[in-house]
């Protein structure tokens, strides 16, 4: 069927989702018909030139399937004003659009594209920053349009093009044509999709270029998905061959010899091979450099020796008297070793007094060294707030401490050191290899580092198994094992330790802090979770007080279903509650939400949970009303514009992984064999230890027993521990020689 071209306007949009639209199109000669396709930033009344093929939809009848489209540069005053008001141009509403057109005339768009900042600043009320935003938006709009048109012939959608443009800018077409496998760097785009586009561009199945691209993709995917620092060469070969030959004819298949040659051709450029272990180059460097720095820190000894210990004992006794507590032997040992060691690890489960001894360590260290700079940090915002509340000292995320912003290197690094005499890092089990390296790399060599964490909790989402490796390396470690009497009375603490030791739950019906409701049907489990959460709100608990945790997102008892159903019950639709609709989802006043990325500018971080307090409309500088949403996170109110809301997701129910570093009075969890793949001891141990007052488990004994017995923690490929030991031995040998 031939391609047909028309010029006219979008009369009416019937349906729109992201960049896909169904609309009525009216040509300049007055004919009207239905169009469908991916069209970026198109609104009603948009003037377009379109190309497409006529198709017959079984339900909707005859329609033009758009293959190409182009937005002519607006020329009349009305057209330019309408263009500025389309939502594509930052910082311009009706009032400002009219002012711009009145000042620049009918060539306003072209003037702005060519030399806009200077001329726009001449207009009253437009400063440097606003002018730059307008110019960038105008250029981007027409540039993106052209890029979409060029890439559509390869089967690349407008939505995907926008993601590529965000990463590569005006260089997008060249990058894709030079390397279509750069598509795999975009979230949600795998090798198979990129490979199909590459084939359309003429890249042969046996091309060395294709093979190398697949190796890089598979290596990074496995490391990302499994938390590895490296992949065994045999596994890499196996998985890469599967990806390369997934749909290949016999004469197109890649053989193992060609693959091995390509692996070694990439060595030193993007990967490192060490004894049949294949690393992404950046992870290899993080691992090696972190090991070197830690071993150098560890060999440094403080000024404290045996003769000074009586002096320290005096301080410990003074602290105990002042705070009316008696520290256990292991807690006193931790304080003493903090003084004598440059790197110290403090580990222990719930109820073992980690918080108590950390507060004592800081206070005593500060008393002895009143001018010392002490820095407290944790991997997440919630964990850092808990640390601050427990110690009384300011704490922040590791990202904020080192000055890291998305897309940039940290402000503090090897060349620009972070000042600090004592650096305390809490919840180290959550810290991946990269962020730990960035932190340690930024420290002076005389800095003292205290790592704190529970090694039995879930490992980090990112690559590495840092806390486990630090302990295994032989770095100075104090493990708190004794559960204090007060904690022993808690069934939460008792059962957490029982799970960790592979023992079945022990529930005392006379106590009211631990419940196990038996139910087999996942649908019924979901209903009972909702009923339990509602009951706690009726007893006076707030939404912030209740953590509903699930091992998985999918399924009847997964977070996706639970979030919608919990909202319907705990925060039902009301005429008194405003809503903000965002394509396929919406937010409602009173919703419990989670921030899903670090936002330094707003001072809100990935994993923080808050409540939407209001959704309203506010006047912008053009006297136009725009959507604004205010969320409360603990004691701070964060303002979100419509575009910011992509950083938020519902948090009535969250995954156990997402709960790390946080805690709440109430924890409710499903325990079902429908989550079989996720039934693991450390998962439920982590979930239960989030609760301060009550735990409610709903499910079956069978599923719980499977989880308790499953101590097969998925092994993470890492050599950080071995490297630390190697460098420690090397440093010791040098000292002996000297």
């Amino acid at each position: 069927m031939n391609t047909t071209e028309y010029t006219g306007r979008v009369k009416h949009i019937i349906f729109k989702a992201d960049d896909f639209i169904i609309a009525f199109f009216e040509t300049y000669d007055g004919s009207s018909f239905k169009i469908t396709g991916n069209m970026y930033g198109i609104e009603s009344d948009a003037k377009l030139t379109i190309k497409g093929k006529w198709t017959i939809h079984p339900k909707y009848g005859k329609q033009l399937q758009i293959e190409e489209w182009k937005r002519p540069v607006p020329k009349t005053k009305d057209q330019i004003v309408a263009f500025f008001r389309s939502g594509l141009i930052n910082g311009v509403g009706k009032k400002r659009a009219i002012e711009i057109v009145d000042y620049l005339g009918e060539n306003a768009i072209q003037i702005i594209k060519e030399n806009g900042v200077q001329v726009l600043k001449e207009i009253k009320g437009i400063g440097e920053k606003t002018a730059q935003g307008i110019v960038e938006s105008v250029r981007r709009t027409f540039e993106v349009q052209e890029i979409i048109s060029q890439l559509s012939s390869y089967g690349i959608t407008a939505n995907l093009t926008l993601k590529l443009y965000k990463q590569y800018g005006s260089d997008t077409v060249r990058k894709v044509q030079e390397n279509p496998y750069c598509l795999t760097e975009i979230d949600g785009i795998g090798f198979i999709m990129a490979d199909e586009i590459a084939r359309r561009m003429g890249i042969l199945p046996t091309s060395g270029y294709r093979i190398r691209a697949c190796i890089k993709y598979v290596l990074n995917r496995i490391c990302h998905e499994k938390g590895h620092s490296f992949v065994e060469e045999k596994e890499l070969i196996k998985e890469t061959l599967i990806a390369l030959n997934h749909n290949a004819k016999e004469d197109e298949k890649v053989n193992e010899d060609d693959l091995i040659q390509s692996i070694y051709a990439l060595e030193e450029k993007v990967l490192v091979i060490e004894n049949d272990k294949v690393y992404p180059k950046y992870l290899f460097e993080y691992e090696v450099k972190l090991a070197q720095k830690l071993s150098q820190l560890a060999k440094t000894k403080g000024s404290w020796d045996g003769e000074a210990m009586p002096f320290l004992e005096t301080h410990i006794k003074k602290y105990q008297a002042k705070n009316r507590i008696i520290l256990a032997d292991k807690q006193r040992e931790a304080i003493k070793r903090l003084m004598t060691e440059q790197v110290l690890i403090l580990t222990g489960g719930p109820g073992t007094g980690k918080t108590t001894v950390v507060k004592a360590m800081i206070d005593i260290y500060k008393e002895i060294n009143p001018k010392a700079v002490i820095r407290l940090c944790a991997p997440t915002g919630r964990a850092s707030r808990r640390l601050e509340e427990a110690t009384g000292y300011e704490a922040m995320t590791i990202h904020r401490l080192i000055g890291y912003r998305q897309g940039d290197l940290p402000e503090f690094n090897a060349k620009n050191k972070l000042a600090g005499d004592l650096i305390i890092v809490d919840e180290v089990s959550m810290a991946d290899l990269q962020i730990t390296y960035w932190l340690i790399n930024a420290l002076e060599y005389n800095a003292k580092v205290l790592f704190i964490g529970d090694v039995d909790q879930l490992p980090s989402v990112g690559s590495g198994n840092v806390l486990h490796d630090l302990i295994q390396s032989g770095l100075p470690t104090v493990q708190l094992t004794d559960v204090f009497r007060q904690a022993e009375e808690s069934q939460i603490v008792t059962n957490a330790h029982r799970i960790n030791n592979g023992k079945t739950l022990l529930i005392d019906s006379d106590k009211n802090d631990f419940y196990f409701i038996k139910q087999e049907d996942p649908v019924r489990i979901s209903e009972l979770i909702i009923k339990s959460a509602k009951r706690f709100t009726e007893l006076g608990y707030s939404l912030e007080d209740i953590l509903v945790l699930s091992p998985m997102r999918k399924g009847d008892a997964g977070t996706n279903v639970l979030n919608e159903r919990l909202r319907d019950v705990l925060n039902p639709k009301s005429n008194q509650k405003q809503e903000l609709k965002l394509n396929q989802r919406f937010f409602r006043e009173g919703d419990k939400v989670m921030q899903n990325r670090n936002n330094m500018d707003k001072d809100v971080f990935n994993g923080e949970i808050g409540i939407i307090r209001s959704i309203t409309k506010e006047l912008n500088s053009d006297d136009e009303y725009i959507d604004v949403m205010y969320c409360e996170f603990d004691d701070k109110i964060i303002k979100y514009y419509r575009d910011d809301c992509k950083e938020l997701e519902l948090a009535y129910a969250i995954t156990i992984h997402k709960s790390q570093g946080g805690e709440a009075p109430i924890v409710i969890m499903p325990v079902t064999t429908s989550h079989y793949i996720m039934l693991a001891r450390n998962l439920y141990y982590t979930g239960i230890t989030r609760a301060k007052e009550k735990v409610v488990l709903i499910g079956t004994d069978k599923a719980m027993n499977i989880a308790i017995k499953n101590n097969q923690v998925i092994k993470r490929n890492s050599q950080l521990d071995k490297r630390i030991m190697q460098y420690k031995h090397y440093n010791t040998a040098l000292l002996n020689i000297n």
Side-chain angles (χ1 to χ4, degrees):
M1 192 173 291
N2 293 330
T3 300
T4 313
E5 181 175 316
Y6 300 93
T7 301
R9 71 183 183 97
V10 177
K11 187 177 181 181
H12 171 65
I13 294 177
I14 304 167
F15 173 80
K16 184 176 183 181
D18 295 325
D19 63 326
F20 178 81
I21 71 167
I22 301 171
F24 279 107
F25 189 81
E26 185 178 64
T27 64
Y28 290 139
D29 63 8
S31 61
S32 180
F33 49 84
K34 194 180 293 181
I35 62 172
T36 180
N38 292 305
M39 303 174 74
Y40 159 71
I42 298 301
E43 304 292 342
S44 293
D45 206 40
K47 310 300 189 292
L48 301 173
T49 297
I50 59 175
K51 291 182 181 180
K53 293 179 180 177
W54 288 103
T55 60
I56 306 294
H57 193 279
K59 184 176 180 181
Y60 301 109
K62 189 177 181 182
Q63 54 190 22
L64 189 72
Q65 179 68 46
I66 302 298
E67 293 180 340
E68 294 181 36
W69 60 274
K70 188 174 182 180
R71 190 199 314 266
V73 177
K75 293 190 177 176
T76 69
K77 180 176 179 178
D78 289 344
Q79 286 177 350
I80 297 170
V81 170
F83 169 71
F84 276 127
R85 295 190 66 199
S86 65
L88 296 171
I89 311 302
N90 295 332
V92 180
K94 184 177 180 181
K95 181 182 174 183
R96 184 163 286 170
I98 292 171
E99 290 173 350
I100 291 172
V101 178
D102 286 345
Y103 188 80
L104 298 180
E106 294 186 348
N107 290 322
I109 300 295
Q110 197 61 35
I111 293 170
I112 290 171
K113 284 171 68 178
E114 291 175 359
N115 191 28
V117 174
Q118 236 15 74
V119 292
L120 286 171
K121 284 167 61 180
E122 296 170 4
I123 302 172
K124 187 179 178 181
I126 299 181
E128 178 82 24
K129 188 175 180 181
T130 301
Q132 285 178 349
I134 294 170
V135 172
E136 287 171 6
S137 295
V138 169
R139 289 173 178 169
R140 183 180 64 245
T141 297
F142 289 98
E143 188 173 57
V144 167
Q145 175 185 292
E146 182 61 32
I147 291 170
I148 288 171
S149 179
Q150 290 184 59
L151 295 185
S152 63
S153 60
Y154 302 132
I156 301 175
T157 65
N159 196 37
L160 178 52
T161 300
L162 289 174
K163 291 180 179 179
L164 288 164
Y165 184 83
K166 189 175 181 181
Q167 187 153 333
Y168 302 121
S170 57
D171 220 21
T172 298
V173 174
R174 184 185 66 81
K175 287 283 293 185
V176 171
Q177 288 176 339
E178 285 182 359
N179 176 19
Y181 296 100
C182 70
L183 293 164
T184 61
E185 299 171 9
I186 307 300
D187 285 344
I189 308 299
F191 178 79
I192 291 175
M193 184 182 291
D195 198 36
E196 183 59 37
I197 292 165
R199 288 191 179 223
R200 292 191 193 117
M201 297 174 68
I203 293 176
L204 296 174
T206 55
S207 159
Y209 181 76
R210 176 178 179 254
I211 296 170
R212 291 190 295 274
C214 191
I215 292 166
K216 289 187 284 185
Y217 169 75
V218 171
L219 177 61
N220 284 296
R221 176 181 60 77
I222 294 175
C223 288
H224 176 74
E225 290 178 355
K226 297 185 178 181
H228 293 332
S229 299
F230 66 85
V231 178
E232 295 288 349
E233 188 175 355
K234 286 183 179 178
E235 183 183 1
L236 179 62
I237 291 169
K238 178 185 173 184
E239 293 298 320
T240 306
L241 284 173
I242 291 171
L244 286 168
N245 298 328
H246 69 275
N247 198 25
K249 298 175 183 175
E250 196 59 40
D251 61 342
E252 295 178 340
K253 286 186 177 180
V254 176
N255 61 53
E256 187 171 319
D257 289 340
D258 289 339
L259 181 58
I260 292 171
Q261 285 182 14
S262 293
I263 290 174
Y264 282 89
L266 290 169
E267 192 173 7
E268 295 184 3
K269 296 177 183 175
V270 295
L271 56 84
V272 175
I273 305 171
E274 186 181 72
N275 300 323
D276 296 328
K277 297 172 176 62
V278 186
Y279 285 82
K281 189 175 180 179
Y282 70 99
L283 289 178
F284 178 82
E285 290 177 350
Y286 291 156
E287 190 176 275
V288 169
K289 291 177 180 178
L290 177 58
Q292 288 174 337
K293 185 68 179 282
L294 283 172
S295 65
Q296 288 171 336
L297 282 174
K299 76 175 182 180
T300 306
K301 288 291 180 182
S303 58
W304 289 76
D305 54 27
E307 293 181 3
M309 283 302 140
F311 175 69
L312 182 56
E313 282 285 1
T314 302
H315 278 281
I316 294 173
K317 288 176 182 177
K318 182 180 175 183
Y319 179 85
Q320 291 180 134
K322 181 181 177 181
N323 293 276
R324 296 180 180 181
I325 62 170
I326 301 294
L327 295 168
D329 290 345
K330 280 287 184 180
Q331 291 177 316
R332 290 197 300 273
E333 180 191 339
I335 296 169
K336 293 173 183 177
R337 296 197 71 180
L338 179 69
M339 299 299 175
T340 58
E341 305 288 355
Q342 210 65 9
V343 178
L344 179 65
I345 302 160
L346 179 67
T347 185
T352 57
K354 286 201 304 293
T355 300
T356 300
V357 73
V358 170
K359 176 73 165 65
M361 291 165 99
I362 296 171
D363 287 353
I364 292 171
Y365 184 88
K366 191 69 176 175
E367 184 172 325
I368 295 172
N369 306 282
K371 294 182 179 180
V373 176
I374 303 175
R375 309 275 195 182
L376 281 71
C377 62
T380 68
R382 280 180 297 162
S384 66
R385 280 197 308 277
R386 282 180 60 196
L387 182 61
E388 186 169 309
E389 290 165 1
T391 63
Y393 289 84
E394 181 187 8
M396 60 185 73
T397 64
I398 300 174
H399 294 85
R400 178 171 285 281
L401 181 63
I402 62 176
Y404 171 73
R405 291 179 177 273
Q406 192 74 29
D408 294 325
L409 291 172
E411 176 188 354
F412 296 103
N413 49 57
K415 294 181 180 178
N416 182 31
K417 296 293 186 179
L418 175 71
D421 300 292
L422 172 61
I423 312 298
I424 297 174
V425 193
D426 198 10
E427 297 284 0
V428 180
S429 63
M430 300 173 63
D432 62 22
L433 182 62
Q434 181 185 65
I435 196 66
T436 308
Y437 163 71
W438 279 347
L439 172 63
I440 301 303
N441 188 48
L443 303 182
E444 299 282 1
Y445 277 108
N446 61 350
K448 192 181 287 290
V449 184
L450 173 62
F451 293 109
I452 308 163
D454 184 347
V455 75
D456 294 315
Q457 290 199 27
L458 294 169
S460 63
V461 174
S463 294
N465 198 2
V466 174
L467 180 58
H468 173 272
D469 285 352
L470 295 184
I471 294 170
Q472 290 298 310
S473 73
L475 287 172
T477 301
V478 177
Q479 183 172 10
L480 305 178
T481 55
D482 294 335
V483 178
F484 287 88
R485 188 179 61 178
Q486 187 177 356
E488 271 185 331
E489 295 174 0
S490 164
Q491 291 194 101
I492 298 170
V493 172
T494 298
N495 282 316
H497 284 283
R498 289 185 68 84
I499 288 173
N500 200 34
N501 293 320
K503 298 178 181 179
T504 56
L505 299 177
L506 191 64
I507 300 175
D508 187 345
S509 58
D510 292 333
K511 296 182 178 181
N512 64 350
D513 61 348
F514 205 102
Y515 303 90
F516 196 145
I517 302 171
K518 307 296 174 65
Q519 180 55 239
E520 292 189 6
D521 182 11
V523 175
R524 183 63 181 146
I525 289 172
S526 176
E527 291 171 353
L528 288 170
I529 288 172
I530 294 158
K531 187 176 179 181
S532 297
K534 187 172 186 297
R535 178 59 178 154
F536 282 119
T537 61
E538 292 168 348
L539 291 171
Y541 290 96
S542 68
L543 289 178
E544 300 103 305
D545 293 332
I546 304 167
L547 271 179
V548 177
L549 307 179
S550 180
M552 299 182 75
R553 290 185 176 273
K554 297 179 179 179
D556 291 304
T559 59
N560 293 343
V561 170
L562 286 172
N563 263 312
E564 296 298 334
R565 296 189 67 187
L566 282 163
R567 170 161 62 181
D568 290 343
V569 173
L570 302 180
N571 187 33
K573 188 177 180 66
S574 166
N575 291 331
Q576 281 72 52
K577 295 176 182 176
Q578 297 295 318
E579 294 183 356
L580 180 60
K581 291 181 168 53
L582 303 157
N583 294 325
Q584 303 302 305
R585 62 191 188 122
F586 71 91
F587 291 114
R588 178 182 296 150
E589 287 177 345
D591 272 345
K592 186 178 181 180
V593 293
M594 175 184 282
Q595 179 78 10
N596 57 30
R597 64 177 291 270
N598 292 330
N599 190 320
M600 303 291 185
D601 296 328
K602 292 185 183 294
D603 192 33
V604 62
F605 299 91
N606 185 18
E608 292 200 53
I609 293 175
I611 302 293
I612 298 174
R613 295 303 183 195
S614 70
I615 297 172
T616 185
K617 291 184 180 293
E618 294 183 359
L619 284 170
N620 64 9
S621 58
D622 288 298
D623 294 328
E624 293 182 326
Y625 284 97
I626 59 172
D627 294 311
V628 177
M629 190 162 76
Y630 289 92
C631 293
E632 184 177 359
F633 296 89
D634 292 325
D635 57 348
K636 59 188 178 186
I637 301 292
I638 306 296
K639 185 177 183 178
Y640 290 82
Y641 296 102
R642 176 177 283 273
D643 287 347
D644 299 329
C645 293
K646 62 180 178 291
E647 297 181 3
L648 293 172
E649 59 187 71
L650 291 180
Y652 293 94
I654 62 175
T655 63
I656 297 173
H657 282 87
K658 279 282 191 180
S659 75
Q660 286 182 272
E663 60 180 20
I666 311 296
V667 166
I668 306 171
M669 288 193 294
V671 190
T672 169
T673 51
S674 64
H675 294 158
Y676 187 86
I677 193 172
M678 298 297 289
L679 292 176
R681 187 185 296 178
N682 62 344
L683 196 75
Y684 281 90
Y685 172 81
T686 300
I688 286 170
T689 54
R690 301 307 92 201
K692 293 192 290 185
E693 295 181 17
K694 300 181 191 293
V695 169
V696 180
L697 303 179
I698 304 173
T700 66
D701 285 324
K702 180 181 178 182
M704 191 73 248
N705 289 332
I706 290 171
I708 291 170
K709 289 176 183 176
N710 181 16
N711 195 32
Q712 299 300 309
V713 179
I714 297 174
K715 182 179 178 296
R716 290 194 163 193
N717 293 342
S718 167
Q719 295 195 105
L720 178 62
D721 54 349
K722 294 181 179 64
R723 294 191 194 280
I724 293 172
M725 287 188 282
Q726 176 190 340
Y727 288 123
K728 279 171 62 183
H729 177 76
Y730 177 74
N731 290 329
T732 303
L734 283 180
L735 287 172
N736 291 335
I737 291 171
N738 294 330

